[in-house]
Amino acid sequence: MNDDLLSIGQFARLARLSVKQLRHYATLGLLEPAWIDPASGYRYYRTAQARDALVIGLLRSLDVPLPVVAAVLSGARETGETGGEDSAAAALARVKDDLEAELARRRRTLKSLERILATGLPGAEVTLVTEPPRPAIIVRDLAATPEDIGRATSACVARLLAAAPAAPALIGLFPLDYGESIPVAVALTGTGLPRVPGADPGILPGGMFATAAHVGPYDQISLTAHALLAWCAERGHAPTGPLREAYVSDPATTPPERLVTHLMIRLEDEE
């Protein structure tokens, strides 16, 4: 056997990973053994594979998703084999951008928590408006948890923007009550609507709506939604879902703290 080969236990110690993690990464194709003994099934790694193992460990410590880890490793391997520095740098730059965006989101959340603890729940100016029915095409996704709603919403928006006009009128649709999974939808409204693969044509119902404007990042919309729902409850209005989010600002050109979103809840007809 080649002296350069290490047992899985020795390699795990060198790479600061567990044997279980190494087996998992091998199953995913991220870090496969250099050699497997056909008689015993024992796994062996080369010392040169320690770089990839350490990269995986560091990226996972930052909660980088496994598909992104695979992209970074692919670029790094190209760098080592063919001089593909650009691929590795681009993959790592995307990781850095995502981490900085997540850090900014967490800082905003901490500021909101500080504000709530210091001054209580925020209020919102609520008005009643009458909305007409609106033709729409609707794309749908499923969020696994409340924290996954942003990902599901972005996926719906991306599908619509691929076929939408330059300034689309997009409305997010969210259930009032969360279950084990959360259905998320985004509607493109207007006339002359384009075809979007997998989208459903439909009509957004009209009627009387309670509405409030949210100014700030999308990840803080729940604060305004709370104020809107509390307003309805205090006045005895019975809301009927879904909660609508009408996106007024372009997030590509508007700072998060200046994004404007109109929240709307349809009220049940009252005799």
Side-chain angles (χ1 to χ4, degrees):
M1 186 172 62
N2 193 314
D3 290 339
D4 185 42
L5 291 176
L6 301 173
S7 71
I8 190 171
Q10 292 172 317
F11 185 76
R13 186 182 305 122
L14 178 68
R16 311 313 299 154
L17 296 171
S18 69
V19 169
K20 182 179 179 180
Q21 286 175 306
L22 286 175
R23 290 183 179 276
H24 181 55
Y25 296 148
T27 300
L28 296 175
L30 288 177
L31 186 61
E32 298 178 358
W35 182 67
I36 300 177
D37 188 325
S40 65
Y42 290 166
R43 303 176 181 212
Y44 295 87
Y45 293 79
R46 298 192 184 280
T47 55
Q49 291 180 279
R51 184 192 71 157
D52 284 356
L54 291 169
V55 167
I56 293 172
L58 288 170
L59 289 172
R60 291 300 291 151
S61 73
L62 294 170
D63 294 325
V64 174
L66 286 170
V68 180
V69 173
V72 174
L73 282 178
S74 176
R77 286 165 182 162
E78 288 177 10
T79 299
E81 295 170 5
T82 63
E85 293 87 353
D86 290 347
S87 178
L92 194 56
R94 288 192 294 271
V95 170
K96 182 180 178 181
D97 289 345
D98 289 345
L99 289 173
E100 288 180 344
E102 175 61 15
L103 179 59
R105 185 194 70 79
R106 293 190 178 209
R107 283 175 173 159
R108 291 194 300 266
T109 299
L110 284 171
K111 287 181 66 175
S112 294
L113 284 169
E114 290 171 349
R115 186 179 68 192
I116 289 172
L117 290 172
T119 63
L121 290 169
E125 183 177 343
V126 179
T127 58
L128 294 176
V129 298
T130 301
E131 282 283 306
R134 297 183 185 276
I137 53 173
I138 304 170
V139 296
R140 306 179 190 277
D141 204 330
L142 202 62
T145 63
E147 292 75 23
D148 190 40
I149 289 176
R151 190 273 319 158
T153 305
S154 296
C156 291
V157 169
R159 289 174 57 193
L160 288 171
L161 290 182
L170 298 179
I171 298 177
L173 306 169
F174 306 93
L176 293 178
D177 301 303
Y178 292 164
E180 291 186 2
S181 59
I182 304 164
V184 171
V186 178
L188 173 64
T189 64
T191 58
L193 297 171
R195 291 181 177 272
V196 178
D200 301 321
I203 299 291
L204 295 186
M208 182 68 71
F209 286 77
T211 180
H214 173 80
V215 181
Y218 295 137
D219 50 53
Q220 304 301 313
I221 280 179
S222 61
L223 299 177
T224 303
H226 164 81
L228 182 58
L229 287 166
W231 184 93
C232 292
E234 289 167 0
R235 288 157 179 78
H237 294 296
T240 178
L243 171 67
R244 298 186 186 183
E245 295 179 2
Y247 305 113
V248 177
S249 307
D250 181 355
T253 58
T254 306
E257 65 275 9
R258 296 184 182 177
L259 291 170
V260 177
T261 308
H262 291 163
L263 272 63
M264 305 175 68
I265 296 179
R266 186 167 176 262
L267 306 179
E268 290 184 358
D269 295 333
E270 300 176 3
E271 300 296 337

